[in-house]
Amino acid sequence: MQKFYKVFLVIFIVFTAINVYAIDWNLKLTEEDNSKFVFSAIAGILGIAVIFVLNTWSKISVKK
């Protein structure tokens, strides 16, 4: 994995961890207070997925 991808992977993991920590688990996830943290955590998880897709694409292009 390239250094560029590693940096963003760490950023997205920290971002997701902070948002999961901030969720009030006593409330529903769809409550207004929780919804911003839930959507931010989902965005972080999607960012992690995009990083792995981009890393895989870069490995495929190097092999050819």
Side-chain angles (χ1 to χ4, degrees), residues 8-48:
F8 278 100
L9 182 63
V10 169
I11 289 171
F12 281 127
I13 289 173
V14 169
F15 181 70
T16 303
I18 290 170
N19 284 305
V20 169
Y21 179 75
I23 293 173
D24 186 5
W25 296 101
N26 293 326
L27 299 175
K28 293 181 182 178
L29 292 178
T30 57
E31 294 276 337
E32 186 177 348
D33 293 337
N34 276 343
S35 65
K36 59 185 170 187
F37 298 121
V38 171
F39 289 133
S40 295
I42 291 171
I45 292 168
L46 287 175
I48 292 169

Side-chain angles (χ1 to χ4, degrees), residues 53-64:
V53 168
L54 290 173
N55 184 41
T56 304
W57 280 353
S58 69
K59 287 181 182 179
I60 291 171
S61 67
V62 169
K63 288 182 181 179
K64 290 185 175 183

